[in-house]
Amino acid sequence: MTTVLTPPPAITVIPDRPRRPWLVASWIIVTAIVVLAFWSIDINWARLADLPAEIVRYTFLMFGSPNWEKLPEALWQTWRSIEMAWVGTILGILLATPISLLAARGFGPAWLRALLRGLFSLIRAVPEIIIAIVILSVTGLTPFTGALALAINGIGTLGKWGYEAVEAVPSGPIEAARAAGGGTLQVLRWGVWPQVEPAFWSFWLYRFEINVRSSAVLGLIGVGGIGDMLTSYTQYREWSTVGVLLIVVVAVTMLIDAVSGAIRRRIMEGARARVLS
């Protein structure tokens, strides 16, 4: 008689779920802060019921019968805002690009990298309008004040994007440039820049898009542009003119975003292949 030995059934051991008390505590603290901040705001809850009707009323006041006579002036002020954004972008590129390369790992000493990265974080934490208020005591209420504020704020974002892009490139060309006896500048020029140039162009265009929108906000403090005009007519309750200004701002911003986005996609993805029949 032959005895067939069957293997014992496999026992599946399910590991215990990892306990993360610090994560639970963090969520509890964050939730408590959000709840306390929400309830500490002095909100007239009774007026929330009137909000939909007020939105409809002001929408009709602005767009029911727009004052198209102000369209030429609105286009001119919008052009000034675009000029402000363009100058701020160029200045930000010139200032941020060299120091972003030095902030990358492998191209600058540790103390300098820490200093520059801390500077980038500090600048990003301060809104453009606060920077403009600080420097307007020197430059005055001019479009150049807005351009400088946009340039300084752009250093924070362009610097961070720049050193992250440099650190993400393949190390092969860099090692080849160093093996050939190249110094830091030669390595950056021949080993790094050809790889990061498309990304940098994309960053610059995207920063210009951000500056176009921010330039309208800077007009609220009187540095010129469409934001200054929008603030003036809003204070005088000329809603028909405000409607025209909003139409111009939205249309121009969407047009610039579409053109800039198409250029960025062309830079990053290249030309699409055509199928020849």
Side-chain angles (χ1 to χ4, degrees):
M1 180 178 181
T2 303
T3 303
V4 179
L5 299 177
T6 58
I11 300 176
T12 303
V13 179
I14 301 176
D16 295 335
R17 185 176 181 179
R19 297 181 179 181
R20 299 175 180 176
W22 57 270
L23 183 59
V24 176
S26 300
W27 277 110
I28 293 175
I29 293 174
V30 170
T31 303
I33 293 175
V34 171
V35 172
L36 291 176
F38 181 79
W39 287 107
S40 63
I41 300 176
D42 187 12
I43 300 177
N44 188 354
W45 299 101
R47 298 190 61 183
L48 287 180
D50 301 331
L51 182 60
E54 291 296 315
I55 293 176
V56 172
R57 184 170 75 90
Y58 280 103
T59 301
F60 178 78
L61 290 175
M62 289 186 293
F63 304 111
S65 180
N67 184 10
W68 295 110
E69 294 180 357
K70 297 295 183 179
L71 181 60
E73 184 181 359
L75 293 175
W76 168 245
Q77 294 298 334
T78 303
W79 176 250
R80 295 188 66 187
S81 296
I82 295 174
E83 290 179 329
M84 187 192 312
W86 178 256
V87 173
T89 303
I90 297 299
L91 292 177
I93 291 171
L94 295 177
L95 295 173
T97 301
I99 58 179
S100 67
L101 298 176
L102 292 177
R105 189 177 296 106
F107 297 99
W111 65 269
L112 182 60
R113 294 200 308 269
L115 179 63
L116 292 176
R117 296 186 183 196
L119 177 64
F120 297 155
S121 299
L122 177 63
I123 292 175
R124 291 197 307 274
V126 182
E128 296 96 338
I129 193 168
I130 302 299
I131 299 175
I133 292 174
V134 172
I135 64 178
L136 64 81
S137 60
V138 178
T139 59
L141 290 175
T142 64
F144 185 64
T145 301
L148 284 179
L150 294 174
I152 294 173
N153 189 265
I155 294 175
T157 54
L158 291 176
K160 183 177 187 297
W161 295 341
Y163 77 74
E164 288 180 347
V166 172
E167 292 179 349
V169 299
S171 60
I174 299 175
E175 295 175 356
R178 285 174 175 165
T184 301
L185 292 178
Q186 287 77 18
V187 171
L188 288 172
R189 172 62 185 87
W190 303 108
V192 174
W193 183 249
Q195 302 184 80
V196 299
E197 183 179 4
F200 270 63
W201 278 103
S202 178
F203 297 156
W204 297 342
L205 288 170
Y206 184 55
R207 182 63 208 184
F208 175 63
E209 296 177 25
I210 296 174
N211 286 347
V212 169
R213 292 187 289 270
S214 299
S215 62
V217 178
L218 289 178
L220 299 177
I221 62 173
V223 297
I226 190 65
D228 193 3
M229 187 178 179
L230 186 60
T231 302
S232 300
Y233 285 100
T234 301
Q235 291 175 347
Y236 288 106
R237 301 295 191 270
E238 297 188 21
W239 301 115
S240 59
T241 303
V242 172
V244 173
L245 300 181
L246 291 178
I247 292 173
V248 172
V249 169
V250 172
V252 172
T253 303
M254 292 178 62
L255 177 61
I256 292 177
D257 287 352
V259 174
S260 178
I263 296 175
R264 285 191 289 112
R265 286 191 297 271
R266 180 64 179 267
I267 291 174
M268 298 302 295
E269 301 175 4
R272 294 182 179 179
R274 297 181 179 180
V275 179
L276 300 178
S277 57

